Amino acid sequence: MPTKRSAVALKLSLFYVHFLDRRPLDSLKEAELLKVIAKKEKNISVSRLRDGRSIIISKRELLPLLQHELSKLEQEVDMVIILCTDDYPTLTCEKPIFYPGRIVTQVIAAMADQPNIGVIVPLEEQSRIALNKWKCVTNNITVTVASPYDYANFKEAAQYLKDYQVDFIILNCMGYNEEHKQLVRKESGIFTILPRTLVARIMLEYL
């Protein structure tokens, strides 16, 4: 998750929405962080700590931490946004939960039948996960890598997807920002979807 308030929060704050930001890794000490770092696991997630460091997390270790924070948070809020495009189907909450990953896949599915999509993910290890995730929408999926947390080559990723003549490009992480989107769109000339801003627009309908 980004260290600064996300575009979701910034957009909704214009409508006088009060935000409580909870991050499951913030309460961990350095030695505890080492335990949740992914080693050989296939199910991983990438996040950014408040000190700016990025970390590759084992989902197996992350889920109980996330549920713990969620159980506390639901007592204080009216709804919850999971600021990650990964899916966490085992989470339980008494309040409505909005999952950006589900929102984006449903929007793309509604836009075209079997579209040729390009997906940009932060890590090479997430390519397989992205392919499995988007199979519910289309069989025509091209995945490439550019991390929002490092000095990634977004121009190269955009050109790669342009060469494959994809119909849409999805920046498949809440860490990507408007600058990343505009760069990819400029280099590729292809309609590019940023989950941050898409989720904000959906949330406005709920208010």
Side-chain angles (χ1 to χ4, degrees):
M1 299 177 188
T3 53
K4 297 181 179 178
R5 173 169 284 192
S6 74
V8 176
L10 288 174
K11 284 182 176 291
L12 295 181
S13 64
L14 298 176
F15 290 79
Y16 305 102
V17 177
H18 178 63
F19 284 86
L20 295 178
D21 185 6
R22 296 289 187 272
R23 306 183 188 205
L25 303 181
D26 282 353
S27 61
L28 300 185
K29 297 179 180 179
E30 195 67 29
E32 295 172 314
L33 279 175
L34 294 176
K35 295 180 181 179
V36 302
I37 292 177
K39 297 176 176 66
K40 296 182 179 180
E41 291 90 342
K42 293 183 179 180
N43 290 323
I44 59 173
S45 185
V46 60
S47 186
R48 196 172 193 180
L49 305 177
R50 290 189 188 273
D51 63 9
R53 288 180 295 163
S54 59
I55 182 173
I56 302 173
I57 318 159
S58 162
K59 276 192 177 180
R60 176 173 54 84
E61 300 289 345
L62 176 63
L63 277 170
L65 298 172
L66 192 55
Q67 182 63 64
H68 178 68
E69 291 297 328
L70 183 59
S71 297
K72 293 189 298 182
L73 185 63
E74 67 182 355
Q75 306 302 319
E76 306 176 63
V77 299
D78 298 316
M79 59 184 177
V80 176
I81 308 172
I82 303 295
L83 291 179
C84 180
T85 54
D86 291 340
D87 201 6
Y88 300 96
T90 62
L91 292 179
T92 60
C93 183
E94 296 178 356
K95 303 296 173 59
I97 305 181
F98 291 82
Y99 293 94
R102 297 182 189 180
I103 291 173
V104 176
T105 53
Q106 292 300 313
V107 167
I108 296 297
M111 291 173 66
D113 183 31
Q114 287 292 314
N116 183 10
I117 65 172
V119 181
I120 298 180
V121 296
L123 300 169
E124 184 65 43
E125 295 88 338
Q126 293 175 306
S127 297
R128 178 187 59 83
I129 299 172
L131 286 170
N132 289 333
K133 170 184 176 178
W134 286 96
K135 281 196 298 187
C136 66
V137 175
T138 180
N139 294 319
N140 308 310
I141 311 162
T142 304
V143 181
T144 189
V145 177
S147 173
Y149 304 132
D150 298 317
Y151 296 97
N153 192 335
F154 282 86
K155 291 184 178 181
E156 182 178 335
Q159 185 60 52
Y160 180 80
L161 295 176
K162 180 179 181 179
D163 291 343
Y164 273 87
Q165 299 181 328
V166 301
D167 301 316
F168 310 111
I169 295 176
I170 300 100
L171 299 178
N172 200 53
C173 176
M174 293 296 279
Y176 295 119
N177 58 34
E178 187 69 29
E179 184 179 355
H180 297 134
K181 172 185 175 179
Q182 294 304 325
L183 177 57
V184 170
R185 188 164 188 171
K186 178 181 178 181
E187 292 297 323
S188 66
I190 298 169
F191 181 66
T192 302
I193 293 178
L194 181 65
R196 282 189 182 193
T197 49
L198 177 61
V199 170
R201 293 185 178 99
I202 297 296
M203 292 300 301
L204 288 177
E205 294 299 317
Y206 184 82
L207 299 177

